[in-house]
Amino acid sequence: MGRLSVHKLSEWKAQGRRFAMVTAYDYPGARLAEQADIPILLVGDSVGSVVLGYDSTVPVTMDEMVHHTKPVVRATEKAIVVADLPFMSYQTDPADAMRNAGRLLKEGGATAVKLEGGSAMVETVRRMVDAGIPVMGHLGLTPQSINQFGGHKVQGKSPAAAVKLISDAKALEDAGAFAIVLETIPAELAKCVSERLTVPTIGIGAGAGCDAQVQVLHDMLGIYDDWRQLKHTKRYRTLGSEMRDALRQYREEVENGDFPTEENSIHVDRKLAREFAHSS
Ligand code: KIV
């Protein structure tokens, strides 16, 4: 059967078919997402915040992205795997951008790359697409620019910012991007952008008017139920507390001798057991 083609997504949009994308950073997460029939997995540079313990996505390196892309690809057969180009792997010069995007496909096995930014990125996107690298755009609150924004602030709130975002989205589509993530912008603006494009918009904190949605796996599963509660996240489960309870129970059972039981033990026959007992 093979992986879904990135071109299918525009067909889905034309048919009014909505779809979900979720982040994945390792084999188990990707396997579960594929079993749930999620058609696009994003190896997001959010790996820096939710898996590697950095305080933002800024420190994430190319080697880390390649490392996390590989198991996601190994765990899946059907899903499109999109890998993020991390901060400063594509903004410096076009040759670097091409080399690094190529690494995510050649070494990581990704289907496509994602990069942040609008008109400034148009030439880079065009070159990648011309070279056979499918590109997903990302506009609005682009986390790699967190220091420039001065925090996680809603973007596109003024008429001028909205006009710029709409023209950036159009420019990315014209350059060949196959989809565009819209992050933390007013729902009204996201709807306008979605209506003006033929490629799908994938929203996170951008309302229901987008063609698709993306969530960060650890946030939607509630792994950090004691920490990250973001307005744009729906916590479908609170697995953090379930995992913590399981670990606590395991520790207690080891401490008080309730684990392992006979069921968890392997035995030899009596004769061999006697030999074991008498061996010096
Ligand atoms: O890295 C990431 O998880 C992302 C999503 C928030 C879209 O870019």
Side-chain angles (χ1 to χ4, degrees):
M1 201 177 104
R3 287 185 196 276
L4 184 68
S5 151
V6 294
H7 302 295
K8 269 276 166 212
L9 304 180
S10 291
E11 282 179 36
W12 286 2
K13 172 169 177 146
Q15 294 159 2
R17 176 170 167 182
R18 294 159 62 84
F19 57 91
M21 174 164 94
V22 72
T23 62
Y25 316 104
D26 58 19
Y27 192 89
R31 190 165 181 273
L32 290 167
E34 172 121 317
Q35 286 169 344
D37 290 326
I38 296 193
I40 314 190
L41 304 189
L42 171 65
V43 188
D45 57 359
S46 52
V47 68
S49 321
V50 296
V51 174
L52 301 176
Y54 300 146
D55 61 3
S56 76
T57 60
V58 170
V60 175
T61 66
M62 268 306 299
D63 285 346
E64 285 165 340
M65 289 309 303
V66 170
H67 177 80
H68 285 275
T69 301
K70 287 179 179 179
V72 171
V73 172
R74 283 196 290 264
T76 53
E77 288 176 354
K78 298 178 291 179
I80 294 171
V81 176
V82 180
D84 258 338
L85 279 160
F87 184 53
M88 284 301 132
S89 68
Y90 59 99
Q91 295 95 335
T92 44
D93 79 72
D96 268 356
M98 295 297 285
R99 219 175 353 260
N100 286 324
R103 275 192 74 191
L104 291 173
L105 268 66
K106 280 170 75 91
E107 290 177 47
T111 323
V113 301
K114 176 166 80 59
L115 53 76
E116 298 182 3
S119 49
M121 285 302 137
V122 161
E123 268 324 299
T124 305
V125 172
R126 206 186 305 278
R127 284 189 62 167
M128 287 179 185
V129 172
D130 284 350
I133 301 172
V135 181
M136 178 180 282
H138 187 159
L139 295 172
L141 199 173
T142 43
Q144 293 174 11
S145 302
I146 196 78
N147 293 307
Q148 177 66 25
F149 293 145
H152 285 93
K153 296 185 179 145
V154 179
Q155 301 297 306
K157 283 209 298 190
S158 69
V163 168
K164 166 94 171 83
L165 197 136
I166 292 170
S167 93
D168 280 349
K170 204 66 198 107
L172 288 173
E173 173 173 87
D174 291 345
F178 71 91
I180 300 175
V181 168
L182 299 177
E183 180 164 354
T184 318
I185 62 170
E188 295 78 3
L189 174 57
K191 187 165 179 288
C192 282
V193 175
S194 306
E195 285 166 358
R196 283 167 171 73
L197 300 183
T198 57
V199 297
T201 56
I202 306 180
I204 177 162
C210 294
D211 304 299
Q213 296 292 321
V214 55
Q215 289 279 284
V216 171
L217 184 79
H218 291 57
D219 293 336
M220 60 164 295
L221 295 182
I223 305 250
Y224 294 119
D225 53 349
D226 57 340
W227 166 37
R228 283 167 62 100
Q229 179 59 75
L230 306 164
K231 182 169 165 57
H232 58 57
T233 297
K234 175 167 176 185
R235 221 178 241 169
Y236 284 82
R237 294 287 188 280
T238 45
L239 293 194
S241 66
E242 286 202 35
M243 291 162 96
R244 214 176 296 112
D245 285 351
L247 289 163
R248 216 171 262 137
Q249 184 182 344
Y250 161 65
R251 174 183 58 76
E252 284 168 4
E253 288 188 6
V254 170
E255 287 170 1
N256 64 26
D258 285 345
F259 177 83
T261 62
E262 274 306 294
E263 250 179 61
N264 315 115
S265 304
I266 300 152
H267 292 287
V268 292
D269 61 30
R270 279 211 201 128
K271 184 166 167 281
L272 202 48
R274 263 200 307 278
E275 276 182 42
F276 288 173
H278 291 117
S279 60
S280 48

